[in-house]
Amino acid sequence: MKTQKVDFDVVVIGGGPAGLSGALTLARARRSVLVIDAGEPRNAPASAVHNYLGREGVAPGELVSVGRGEVAGYGGEFLAGRVATAKGSAADGFRVVLEEGADVPEVTASRLLVTTGLVDELPPVPGVAERFGREVLHCPYCHGWEVRDTPIGILATGPLAVHQAQMWRQWSEDVTLFRHTAPEFDDEQYEQLAARDIAVVDGEVVALEVTDDRLTGVTLAGGRVIPVRAVVVAPLFTARGGVLADLGAAAADWEMAGHVVGSYVPTDPAGATSVPGVWAAGNVADPTEVVIGSAVAGLRAAAAINGDLIAEETARAVEARRTAGRRDRHK
């Protein structure tokens, strides 16, 4: 869908669940809204979306397609492309410049909602990136049911590996923790693992074994192959915050249990960033957010944006009324 306009009440940068939910809310509030989307959803490799009440098991592409249709049904517009930079302010308006090749080189807006998500930086083990979202997994709530009661391997790359193993033990009694590049575990951690029959294997994992396009095992540095049907990894969750950084909303380290595991752009509970007129929602602001939570965050941010615009419009109307009254008195 190609827009013919260049000036909008709100430009939404990112067309996933957070961005579409925000755009739908704004369009229903009778705001002119444009969604700019590069078409690179984080969950593209996954076959289904889970824990989305009423849409359990829907394909990610279908959810986006339906959402785009709903937004368009209320007058929302779309523009395919990647944002190169964004500049401006709430007082003077924002200018959003797209990379070369977009149908429209730049657009302007009174407010911005950034929902660009994050990048999963994966361990550099051959096969991990290729099978991520299929049998290489990170979220038990998103994928645990699908690999229940099968051999699951945990690829330990950091200090939270034992926690991961204990989590995934909920879905299978056959969990193996491959120590790989993680620090040595302490006695208490080994005791916890043994208490729940979680095996620990030393040595670095050098490859994944795949047979007939299905994961069948992991290969250790010494050549030993251990059968598994799923491998759990801990990506570094890096916010796609370049546009926000251009505007002055820098990303911060995201920590769990005192360890840096990624980055995010800080916002208030409604999604407002430190830059007036700029909101963020979804994984760019909260790396732990699942699809349904991202959609809620987009709605919440959109409501806050609409409220902010109403306050600005009210102030202008009051000033215009006062100015008109002063003119009448001087006639």
Side-chain angles (χ1 to χ4, degrees):
M1 187 180 303
K2 180 178 177 181
T3 180
Q4 301 299 319
K5 294 180 57 177
V6 295
D7 184 49
F8 295 85
D9 292 329
V10 184
V11 165
V12 179
I13 303 174
L20 291 176
S21 179
L24 179 62
T25 304
L26 289 160
R28 282 177 51 83
R30 310 187 72 178
R31 296 294 179 185
S32 61
V33 58
L34 173 70
V35 179
I36 301 175
D37 185 33
E40 299 174 348
R42 178 191 177 204
N43 62 355
S47 61
V49 171
H50 298 292
N51 300 308
Y52 200 126
L53 189 62
R55 298 292 287 165
E56 170 61 27
V58 65
E62 180 184 346
L63 185 66
V64 168
S65 178
V66 170
R68 287 173 67 96
E70 292 172 346
V71 172
Y74 289 99
E77 300 189 49
F78 293 87
L79 180 60
R82 190 188 308 278
V83 173
T85 187
K87 298 178 180 179
S89 67
D92 300 321
F94 295 97
R95 185 168 68 97
V96 180
V97 180
L98 283 87
E99 291 185 354
E100 186 175 351
D103 290 332
V104 178
E106 65 178 66
V107 295
T108 59
S110 298
R111 300 291 186 271
L112 297 179
L113 173 56
V114 181
T115 61
T116 44
L118 59 78
V119 175
D120 298 286
E121 296 188 20
L122 300 168
V125 174
V128 165
E130 292 79 2
R131 307 204 72 84
F132 187 59
R134 299 173 63 184
E135 305 104 337
V136 176
L137 313 169
H138 77 282
C139 172
Y141 298 104
C142 302
H143 306 287
W145 176 264
E146 284 62 45
V147 297
R148 67 194 184 281
D149 300 326
T150 66
I152 299 173
I154 312 297
L155 186 65
T157 54
L160 298 178
V162 172
H163 170 72
Q164 274 190 300
Q166 296 290 2
M167 287 283 288
W168 284 84
R169 178 63 176 77
Q170 174 68 23
W171 282 265
S172 176
E173 295 181 356
D174 189 351
V175 175
T176 300
L177 179 54
F178 296 95
R179 203 162 69 79
H180 191 50
T181 60
E184 178 66 81
F185 309 137
D186 61 32
D187 291 343
E188 182 179 2
Q189 290 174 314
Y190 274 116
E191 182 181 30
Q192 292 170 349
L193 293 165
R196 300 192 72 199
D197 297 320
I198 298 171
V200 178
V201 175
D202 290 327
E204 189 170 340
V205 173
V206 296
L208 303 186
E209 293 293 314
V210 178
T211 304
D212 296 329
D213 199 31
R214 287 291 301 174
L215 177 68
T216 56
V218 302
T219 302
L220 299 174
R224 181 185 175 194
V225 177
I226 298 180
V228 296
R229 296 304 300 272
V231 169
V232 175
V233 297
L236 184 68
F237 302 116
T238 303
R240 286 183 174 137
V243 171
L244 289 162
D246 290 343
L247 293 161
D253 287 341
W254 179 52
E255 297 186 3
M256 287 185 66
H259 303 286
V260 175
V261 294
S263 61
Y264 74 107
V265 176
T267 68
D268 74 3
T273 70
S274 59
V275 179
V278 180
W279 276 256
N283 287 142
V284 71
D286 183 353
T288 67
E289 202 68 272
V290 294
V291 174
I292 193 169
S294 290
V296 171
L299 184 156
R300 185 181 298 118
I305 291 170
N306 188 54
D308 191 50
L309 286 169
I310 289 172
E312 181 179 90
E313 291 159 354
T314 301
R316 287 176 182 166
V318 168
E319 181 57 31
R321 186 174 187 276
R322 289 174 178 172
T323 299
R326 287 193 292 268
R327 288 174 181 166
D328 290 341
R329 288 194 297 270
H330 287 87
K331 284 183 179 179

